[in-house]
Amino acid sequence: MTTLSERISQSAFDGSRLRVVLLLDLHDGAQQRFLEAYEHLRNQVASVPGHITDQLCQSIENPSQWLITSEWESAPPFLAWVNSEEHVKMVQPLHSCVRDTRSLRFSVLRETSNVAALAPEPPKGRLQANPRVGDGVVRHALTFTVKPGSEDKVAEILAGYTSPEARVDDTTRLRRTSLFMHGNRVVRAVEVQGDLVAALRHISRQPEVRAVEEAINPYLEQDRDLSDPNSARVFFTRAALPAVHHVAAHGTQPTGVRRHALYYPAKEGCGMALARMLARQDELAADDPGCPVAGSTIFQRDDIVVRLIDLRIPLDSDPMLSLGVRGPRKTAVLRRLLDTDAAGQLSSDREFASFLSRSDMALITDRRASDS
């Protein structure tokens, strides 16, 4: 029987320190401009809650290759900062210097130090207790809003495109794309076997996908110009909806499982706490062999929380189970974290059923690679 740590392949909630690695390839001659922009940026980053330290490194072989590493007390404060509008504006001066970037995030599992050189104060945060094994699939999502009144047209466009080639390279392939809408909000979740960054770049270059992106441009609430690298970068930075937790239930996935996406209207400032609570509830459910939730992925950015679940039963068979709530105490916690104007009081079975119905996102398309 697999352990819970083997079934959790992604998690921002293990409490361990976080190491962030940012690889950068600068434009020719941009080194000094980049250094000046970084000097201004690092003083602001140093005051962000949860930040411990960072280093700026330059390659000894290629002066255009740079590396920024930073350490954080845990993943949540970093994610809250990197997904904020403040961060988007803060890093704008760097973009004109950079040809290409890649960001990698790691929980600190083990560390070895020179005892004689140890600082008198121990590092903040703890180490990750166990390595995650999971299923070898990386999950990510994008979200954006369209102009009110255009929802049906956008849904038609997003449902009608030709699927891109699943194979990215010898080690990476697209496994699944699930697209949902909630009112005028679009959520596109992808599952990738291998390198997520390589897969996202592969998707963006496919003619079928580019045609769809151009077709929905007139309906977006946030303007973008995909021919302008900076405009595209800012849009997709704001649209990123990271997977903060994924857990699978016991055993192999049976047939007859249906995918749903639930939108949770978090109270202002409570998005991360809500995602953490739902993650813990899904871990408890995954430990129950009889639970009909085959798998759960939680996506969160600011106060946008989306829970993608694969269910063996109809969604409305057990509203509290489908919503990821176990018992009256957790119901009270959920109620405190939700926007009550949207969620109601959740004090009766009828109110839970009504909230579930309002949270259920409309499935636009769910596409899987032939061998997934």
Side-chain angles (χ1 to χ4, degrees):
M1 185 176 69
T2 56
T3 64
L4 186 59
S5 66
E6 290 176 304
R7 289 182 277 115
I8 298 175
S9 56
Q10 290 179 254
S11 183
F13 303 124
D14 59 20
S16 60
R17 295 206 306 275
L18 183 73
R19 172 69 66 180
V20 180
V21 179
L22 184 62
L23 306 171
L24 306 107
D25 183 20
L26 302 191
H27 290 298
D28 295 339
Q31 287 84 351
Q32 189 58 42
R33 279 193 298 120
F34 174 78
L35 185 58
E36 291 170 359
Y38 172 78
E39 284 295 325
H40 178 67
L41 175 65
R42 76 185 185 102
N43 293 325
Q44 295 175 282
V45 176
S47 64
V48 176
H51 176 266
I52 298 174
T53 185
D54 62 72
Q55 293 180 321
L56 175 65
C57 310
Q58 185 180 23
S59 168
I60 62 174
E61 298 161 335
N62 182 346
S64 294
Q65 293 179 346
W66 293 62
L67 169 71
I68 299 175
T69 67
S70 62
E71 191 163 342
W72 298 74
E73 292 178 18
S74 62
F78 167 76
L79 292 173
W81 174 71
V82 79
N83 292 328
S84 67
E85 190 64 25
E86 176 189 11
H87 174 261
V88 173
K89 294 175 181 177
M90 193 183 297
V91 299
Q92 275 291 94
L94 298 177
H95 291 326
S96 63
C97 307
V98 176
R99 181 183 294 114
D100 192 24
T101 64
R102 179 164 187 179
S103 178
L104 305 170
R105 295 104 185 249
F106 302 88
S107 291
V108 181
L109 185 67
R110 300 287 184 270
E111 63 182 354
T112 303
S113 301
N114 183 335
V115 176
L118 279 176
E121 209 175 301
K124 297 178 181 179
R126 62 178 177 84
L127 302 183
Q128 181 183 331
N130 298 299
R132 287 184 285 273
V133 179
D135 55 4
V137 176
V138 183
R139 295 162 173 87
H140 187 69
L142 295 172
T143 186
F144 51 86
T145 55
V146 297
K147 296 172 183 176
S150 69
E151 295 89 348
D152 289 345
K153 180 61 178 177
V154 170
E156 179 185 346
I157 295 171
L158 294 175
Y161 73 97
T162 302
S163 298
E165 172 62 40
R167 182 181 182 276
V168 177
D169 54 39
D170 290 342
T171 59
T172 301
R173 56 185 289 106
L174 306 173
R175 289 177 56 89
R176 190 169 185 175
T177 299
S178 306
L179 204 147
F180 297 85
M181 291 185 70
H182 187 273
N184 70 327
R185 177 167 296 281
V186 177
V187 171
R188 179 191 294 150
V190 297
E191 296 181 0
V192 173
Q193 190 95 37
D195 187 336
L196 175 64
V197 174
L200 294 179
R201 289 177 175 172
H202 166 80
I203 292 171
S204 69
R205 291 193 294 262
Q206 301 308 299
E208 307 90 340
V209 175
R210 294 188 68 87
V212 169
E213 297 290 350
E214 292 292 347
I216 65 172
N217 263 351
Y219 307 108
L220 297 176
E221 285 199 312
Q222 179 190 341
D223 292 334
R224 68 178 182 184
D225 179 2
L226 294 179
S227 64
D228 177 358
N230 187 58
S231 175
R233 183 188 297 113
V234 170
F235 178 86
F236 287 111
T237 297
R238 287 181 171 138
L241 186 64
V244 294
H245 195 269
H246 172 77
V247 62
H250 284 284
T252 58
Q253 300 301 319
T255 58
V257 170
R258 185 171 179 184
R259 172 156 292 188
H260 302 269
L262 300 177
Y263 179 80
Y264 294 77
K267 191 177 296 182
E268 185 176 357
C270 294
M272 184 66 75
L274 176 57
R276 189 196 305 269
M277 189 273 284
L278 293 171
R280 179 56 181 152
Q281 292 296 287
D282 284 335
E283 287 178 13
L284 294 173
D287 260 350
D288 178 2
C291 182
V293 180
S296 161
T297 307
I298 297 169
F299 301 93
Q300 182 263 333
R301 179 194 180 98
D302 298 329
D303 295 325
I304 300 170
V305 180
V306 174
R307 181 165 159 267
L308 198 67
I309 53 174
D310 294 319
L311 272 179
R312 300 183 178 97
I313 60 173
L315 183 69
D316 57 1
S317 296
D318 188 337
M320 291 183 69
L321 181 146
S322 294
L323 285 167
V325 182
R326 298 165 69 93
R329 291 182 61 185
K330 291 303 177 184
T331 299
V333 174
L334 177 66
R335 193 161 50 236
R336 288 199 302 270
L337 297 174
L338 290 172
D339 180 341
T340 52
D341 289 340
Q345 295 302 308
L346 299 183
S347 58
S348 68
D349 291 344
R350 183 176 179 179
E351 287 184 346
F352 262 102
S354 177
F355 175 58
L356 175 64
S357 177
R358 294 194 302 275
S359 300
D360 187 19
M361 302 186 73
L363 176 64
I364 305 303
T365 183
D366 185 22
R367 305 178 183 214
R368 306 181 68 160
S370 57
D371 59 348
S372 299

